[in-house]
Amino acid sequence: MGRDYAARTRATTARRSALAETEASYRATDLERHLYRRFRPGDIYAPHDLSPVEQQKWRQRNTSGGHISGRGGAPFANMRRQNRKDVFDVLGMHPLEEWKNFSIMTEFVSSMGRIRHRRETGLRGVNQRRVAKAVRRAVGMGLMPSVHKHPEMLEKEAEELGRRRSPAQRLGLGARGAGLGRIGGR
């Protein structure tokens, strides 16, 4: 009889602990659903960042794609920013983690070796700064060339290309020369 009681007690205790674990996991997933800001390992945050007020701000920021309303800036800034999508945000990538990926970094560098402007890349300011830092890091580590085509080299290439093309092609008249495309001379 003592053995049966001990076995039942152990089974009951095991069931209770399993039930408590599942409740804790449900609670964690429920809380995670309400968190709109995704924290990464190493992020520093205050307890206030977990408050419903802050979560509401992050929710508005993530859904509107632009300013939090009432924080200054142009009145139609949200409308302009909704159409533009940041590549790194869409793919869920972090630019600083991609500094070793040569093919990604070369997309943000001109043929002269300059980091492209945010207008050209279409990135948010934060990700643009991260990409710039990643490019500088890749150059510093020797993964990307620090010296690109010099302007004089580009001039020489343009001159050689000009010599290979016919005078009509240089003027943009096509292969037929000065012939007109339409009958009647108009």
Side-chain angles (χ1 to χ4, degrees):
M1 186 144 167
R3 289 181 191 167
D4 291 338
Y5 178 74
R8 275 186 276 147
T9 307
R10 279 194 299 269
T12 307
T13 308
R15 263 188 255 122
R16 283 183 184 155
S17 66
L19 185 61
E21 286 177 21
T22 51
E23 284 179 10
S25 69
Y26 284 141
R27 228 179 293 126
T29 54
D30 189 38
L31 285 173
E32 195 172 301
R33 260 187 251 133
H34 295 293
L35 285 176
Y36 290 98
R37 180 177 177 185
R38 297 288 172 229
F39 293 98
R40 294 194 169 153
D43 282 355
I44 298 171
Y45 60 92
H48 175 70
D49 292 337
L50 302 175
S51 69
V53 173
E54 286 295 313
Q55 291 305 315
Q56 185 67 25
K57 288 179 186 176
W58 278 96
R59 178 179 176 200
Q60 287 174 354
R61 188 175 291 170
N62 290 341
T63 56
S64 70
H67 280 305
I68 299 170
S69 56
R71 282 253 180 133
F76 299 107
N78 286 340
M79 294 176 68
R80 282 194 306 254
R81 290 186 179 153
Q82 282 177 349
N83 298 335
R84 191 179 350 152
K85 298 287 184 188
D86 190 336
V87 178
F88 288 104
D89 289 341
V90 170
L91 296 175
M93 297 169 64
H94 195 267
L96 277 176
E97 294 171 0
E98 300 300 323
W99 67 273
K100 292 178 246 176
N101 194 337
F102 181 79
S103 60
I104 291 177
M105 290 299 118
T106 53
E107 294 295 320
F108 300 101
V109 178
S110 70
S111 63
M112 294 291 293
R114 295 184 62 141
I115 298 170
R116 294 188 189 277
H117 195 272
R118 186 176 151 206
R119 267 181 270 122
E120 299 172 31
T121 62
L123 298 176
R124 291 185 306 135
V126 172
N127 283 341
Q128 178 69 28
R129 289 188 295 273
R130 288 175 181 165
V131 163
K133 188 173 205 169
V135 167
R136 288 192 302 268
R137 189 177 288 175
V139 168
M141 293 299 288
L143 297 176
M144 289 180 65
S146 59
V147 178
H148 291 268
K149 294 184 179 180
H150 194 272
E152 291 176 7
M153 295 293 287
L154 289 172
E155 267 183 45
K156 286 181 184 178
E157 286 179 11
E159 287 174 10
E160 289 174 10
L161 183 65
R163 279 190 231 126
R164 282 186 260 157
R165 294 169 45 190
S166 69
Q169 285 176 330
R170 273 186 250 147
L171 294 173
L173 298 175
R176 291 184 289 164
L180 298 171
R182 297 174 60 191
I183 298 174
R186 290 188 186 179

